[in-house]
Amino acid sequence: MTTELTAENCPPLPEPDELTQFFWDGVHAHELRILRCDGCGKFIHWPRPVCRFCLGTSLTPTVVSGRGRLHTWTIPLQPFDAYFRSHLPYVLAVVELDEQPGLMVVTDIVDCAEEDLALDMPVEVTFREVAPGVTLPLFRPTEVAP
Ligand SMILES: [Zn+2]
């Protein structure tokens, strides 16, 4: 049985283009891929055709660790989209990836109670099927090694 996708059970879908297809291919493979400049070695996100550090135009999708720190977050109260209204409450967040200071991704934090959220808490990527056939890279508190 297939579930019909509706505005309430399916988020706005990614619309990959020439510049962002690698990112969504990575998500499909459960890898977080970020563009890295072949010239200066810096990571760039969102994907852009030109390195903002050295203006190089040779950028390569690179698998990153998927680990980072919670930079900031909010709990939306009035989402504009029917899907998000039907999924309240959720945690909309910005995560700074470990690979580079200032390398930020916009995501949701999952598996964490609101009162346990803390600035700079370690988080890691988790790939979640949020609707049938729709996987997104979300973040959760990093598992602490025993
Ligand atoms: Zn560069």
Side-chain angles (χ1 to χ4, degrees):
M1 186 180 114
T2 57
T3 303
E4 185 180 344
L5 295 180
T6 66
E8 285 74 32
N9 75 10
C10 185
L13 296 176
E15 297 177 8
D17 60 19
E18 190 175 318
L19 193 56
T20 60
Q21 185 66 52
F22 77 90
F23 181 86
W24 295 108
D25 289 346
V27 169
H28 183 72
H30 287 196
E31 292 178 346
L32 191 60
R33 299 176 185 169
I34 303 289
L35 282 184
R36 188 172 201 180
C37 177
D38 297 331
C40 71
K42 297 275 183 109
F43 289 93
I44 307 292
H45 189 74
W46 308 100
R48 297 176 190 284
V50 177
C51 173
R52 69 185 174 94
F53 297 97
C54 75
L55 304 184
T57 55
S58 180
L59 300 154
T60 302
T62 303
V63 177
V64 296
S65 67
R67 289 188 295 275
R69 302 236 168 218
L70 182 56
H71 181 73
T72 189
W73 73 92
T74 188
I75 314 290
L77 297 177
Q78 296 180 308
F80 62 90
D81 183 88
Y83 171 82
F84 293 106
R85 278 196 297 275
S86 68
H87 285 74
L88 291 173
Y90 62 94
V91 180
L92 178 62
V94 176
V95 167
E96 182 176 39
L97 298 178
D98 283 354
E99 275 72 13
Q100 179 178 298
L103 181 62
M104 307 288 187
V105 295
V106 177
T107 185
D108 286 356
I109 302 296
V110 294
D111 302 341
C112 186
E114 185 179 339
E115 60 268 24
D116 293 334
L117 294 165
L119 202 60
D120 286 332
M121 68 186 284
V123 292
E124 63 189 5
V125 73
T126 178
F127 296 92
R128 297 290 170 91
E129 189 173 28
V130 297
V134 182
T135 297
L136 295 176
L138 308 179
F139 281 74
R140 65 184 175 200
T142 300
E143 301 285 337
V144 178

